[in-house]
Amino acid sequence: MKIALGSDHGGVDLKAAIKKHLLDAGHEVVDFGTDSHESCDYPLIAEPAAKAVAAGDCERGILVCGTGIGIGIAANKVPGIRAALCHDTFSARASRNHNNANILTMGQRVIGEGLALDIVDVWLASDFEGGRHERRVGEIADIEKKYQ
């Protein structure tokens, strides 16, 4: 799977661990930065990564900041993105099964590396269930269209 990956300075260490984990698992990674602990602005990372997912250049995305909140808010401003903040495997699975989330966000200051990698694995292995959830995802898209 081709995955967009990005973080700000607050998530750079976890991003590096996730990148290694993804590459070791045979995934293709498009890294949108940063690779530095120097302060940077997460919207400048989130937008191009989210655009790559929305355009279909990457199948999914994973974004990390200190909490996972800000980078997810920024990613969700890109039409077609359904970024989900997940700090447990149940939410990761549900975000895919029920919401067809196409970007996973996490916070380096919130969870440890081991749990984060488990979340990544569960999220990538989970599929959208469709059915009644398809209607709801469509309704989300309809709201988005009203404001474009």
Side-chain angles (χ1 to χ4, degrees):
M1 184 179 303
K2 189 173 182 180
I3 301 167
L5 182 64
S7 74
D8 70 355
H9 59 283
V12 70
D13 296 329
L14 184 54
K15 183 195 78 141
I18 292 168
K19 183 175 184 176
K20 181 183 182 317
H21 185 72
L22 293 171
L23 291 172
D24 288 349
H27 296 287
E28 182 179 350
V29 174
V30 180
D31 191 335
F32 289 87
T34 189
D35 293 317
S36 170
H37 290 99
E38 186 175 325
S39 182
C40 67
D41 298 331
Y42 56 79
L44 302 179
I45 305 296
E47 183 182 15
K51 283 173 63 176
V53 173
D57 298 331
C58 293
E59 295 169 68
R60 295 197 203 160
I62 301 173
L63 299 172
V64 184
C65 67
T67 63
I69 297 168
I71 206 160
I73 291 170
N76 275 320
K77 297 301 180 185
V78 175
I81 293 303
R82 292 172 305 282
L85 173 64
C86 300
H87 288 139
D88 61 82
T89 56
F90 178 82
S91 297
R93 185 177 300 104
S95 78
R96 289 286 307 134
N97 294 162
H98 297 180
N99 310 113
N100 201 15
N102 50 15
I103 292 184
L104 168 67
T105 71
M106 293 183 287
Q108 177 176 301
R109 297 176 185 147
V110 178
I111 60 172
E113 181 180 314
L115 177 56
L117 298 180
D118 286 347
I119 290 166
V120 166
D121 289 343
V122 166
W123 189 76
L124 291 174
S126 298
D127 294 318
F128 182 49
E129 291 177 355
R132 71 182 189 274
H133 305 296
E134 184 74 44
R135 182 182 72 249
R136 295 169 183 154
V137 170
E139 290 168 349
I140 292 169
D142 290 343
I143 292 170
E144 191 174 69
K145 289 174 189 169
K146 288 180 187 178
Y147 297 96
Q148 289 181 349

